[in-house]
């Protein structure tokens, strides 16, 4: 079993932001081209056989990147709003999209 400390995660997020700030100005709007994506729960990450129906909600859920960004922007603008673990999924999806645009997996 692997572990990671909260302080280590903080350092990683700071390094990721440093990378973005090195590549782009802080006002640069990152273009997110994907709208709908597959959200695979971690307990299914090691399930490699193809489900009979790729769009089956019982096998693979779908996420909406536009909705993710909209909800994350609410979190930014509303200081009273409490971050949830769903926001982790939303942010992970945004980071994944940025990674795919900058470092495509073909």
């Amino acid at each position: 079993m692997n572990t990671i400390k909260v302080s280590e995660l903080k350092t990683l997020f700071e390094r990721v932001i440093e990378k973005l700030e090195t590549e782009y100005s802080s006002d640069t709007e990152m273009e997110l081209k994907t709208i709908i994506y597959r959200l695979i729960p971690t307990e299914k990450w090691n399930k490699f056989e193809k489900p009979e129906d790729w769009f089956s909600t019982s096998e693979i859920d779908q996420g909406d990147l536009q909705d993710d960004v909209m909800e994350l922007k609410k979190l930014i603008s509303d200081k009273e709003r409490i971050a949830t673990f769903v926001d982790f999924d939303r942010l992970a999806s945004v980071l994944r999209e940025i990674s795919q645009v900058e470092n495509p997996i073909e």
Side-chain angles (χ1 to χ4, degrees):
M1 175 181 192
N2 289 323
T3 63
I4 191 163
K5 296 176 184 177
V6 172
S7 61
E8 293 170 324
L9 287 170
K10 181 178 179 178
T11 299
L12 291 169
F13 275 104
E14 289 169 351
R15 298 283 304 273
V16 167
I17 295 303
E18 286 174 19
K19 171 66 175 166
L20 286 173
E21 290 175 342
T22 300
E23 300 287 329
Y24 305 98
S25 72
S26 61
D27 290 333
T28 299
E29 292 189 5
M30 309 296 296
E31 185 176 350
L32 307 175
K33 298 177 183 179
T34 301
I35 297 173
I36 302 297
Y37 59 88
R38 293 184 180 117
L39 181 62
I40 303 171
T42 55
E43 65 269 9
K44 294 184 181 177
W45 280 5
N46 62 354
K47 185 178 179 184
F48 294 103
E49 64 274 3
K50 181 180 175 184
E52 289 184 25
D53 177 3
W54 273 101
F55 298 101
S56 169
T57 57
S58 65
E59 286 294 324
I60 299 174
D61 290 333
Q62 291 183 350
D64 182 326
L65 202 55
Q66 291 176 330
D67 180 64
D68 292 344
V69 170
M70 182 180 67
E71 293 301 317
L72 289 169
K73 286 187 176 189
K74 287 179 186 177
L75 186 61
I76 293 166
S77 64
D78 182 354
K79 302 298 181 193
E80 301 297 316
R81 190 177 179 115
I82 298 171
T84 68
F85 288 109
V86 173
D87 295 319
F88 284 41
D89 287 329
R90 292 176 175 136
L91 182 56
S93 298
V94 169
L95 292 173
R96 180 71 198 105
E97 174 71 4
I98 292 169
S99 175
Q100 178 63 26
V101 167
E102 296 301 323
N103 186 38
I105 299 173
E106 298 179 23

